[in-house]
Amino acid sequence: MMPGIGSQNFEDAPSARESTFMHNHDIKKERRDLYSARSDRFGIVDVPRLDFLMADGRGDPNTSADHRAVVEALYTTSYAVRALAKRQLGRTHTVGPLEGLWYADDLGVFAGRDHDAWKWTLMIVQPGWITPDMIEEAMGDVARKKDLPAGDRVRFEDLTEGRCAQILHLGPYHEEGPTIARMHEEFMPAERLVPRGHHHEIYLSDARRTDPSRLRTILRQPVAPAPG
């Protein structure tokens, strides 16, 4: 469902000198169970409580200026948080990948590709040592330095998804449909599971630099035991 926006580097990555003196936390490496998946079969993962910077929106992600504004606000704030954590705590981390929750008042809009009716929550995971006070300070720093159209919509919130089905989708975002359908129509019934919550996508590739055929996206769906 995501347009051509993947991991974006709004600041330089940690230098080799930094890495020599301090451990750099990278959630994609340290929680491979959550930020990697098989592409050849569905799997089940238990997702604990995680903290995110989030912002909500609506509309076609391929054409929406609002969508681009939210992505910019999330990344800019995330890098400000990273700088603050390094300065105050002496801890460094790699900014996490962009993620999205997708939903609609009428779920039929997804099958019908009515992109303008899509609702979404974009988010970037934050390390567990980041506090609300640090987020507030980082957001203040951003507001003083940059005029971000969606900056005031960013919030700090936790999410606990629990048990989820997931798979790695390889290829363009617009080709996810058949894989999502197999998850809901084949895998879940076979495992006596039903969906709950929102469809979740994790964008592991930088779509600006990756051929569409090589894009890597985790497709995740919270599940519950089927009744009866």
Side-chain angles (χ1 to χ4, degrees), residues 48 54 60 76 84 90 98 132 144 146 152 169 172 182 212 215 218:
M54 299 181 176
D60 186 344
T76 302
L84 184 66
L98 186 67
R144 285 188 293 272
K146 296 187 177 183
D152 60 350
H169 172 75
R182 287 193 296 112
L215 290 172
I218 294 177

Side-chain angles (χ1 to χ4, degrees), residues 75-218:
Y75 271 108
T76 302
T77 306
S78 291
Y79 277 102
V81 170
R82 177 188 180 275
L84 184 66
K86 180 184 176 184
R87 184 169 68 248
Q88 291 189 352
L89 306 178
R91 305 183 74 166
T92 65
H93 65 272
T94 298
V95 170
L98 186 67
E99 307 185 36
L101 304 177
W102 298 85
Y103 45 99
D105 296 328
D106 175 11
L107 295 181
V109 302
F110 293 115
R113 312 304 290 176
D114 183 6
H115 297 183
D116 291 333
W118 289 1
K119 295 181 180 181
W120 35 262
T121 298
L122 300 183
M123 54 195 195
I124 297 177
V125 68
Q126 304 298 309
W129 58 80
I130 301 300
T131 67
D133 287 344
M134 294 175 68
I135 296 292
E136 184 176 355
E137 183 173 347
M139 291 179 70
D141 290 343
V142 170
R144 285 188 293 272
K145 296 175 182 178
K146 296 187 177 183
D147 181 17
L148 297 175
D152 60 350
R153 289 159 56 188
V154 176
R155 67 184 187 275
F156 187 49
E157 188 173 308
D158 65 89
L159 177 66
T160 305
E161 288 185 294
R163 180 146 293 193
C164 297
Q166 69 177 27
I167 194 169
L168 180 66
H169 172 75
L170 300 176
Y173 302 123
H174 67 267
E175 294 181 358
E176 294 173 358
T179 302
I180 296 172
R182 287 193 296 112
M183 178 186 288
H184 285 259
E185 298 170 10
E186 298 177 16
F187 177 74
M188 289 186 195
E191 298 295 320
R192 298 191 56 78
L193 299 170
V194 294
R196 58 176 176 79
H198 299 317
H199 174 74
H200 183 173
E201 299 189 356
I202 303 173
Y203 308 103
L204 301 177
S205 304
D206 184 343
R208 301 168 304 164
R209 299 180 175 88
T210 306
D211 185 275
S213 66
R214 300 178 66 85
L215 290 172
R216 300 166 65 250
T217 307
I218 294 177

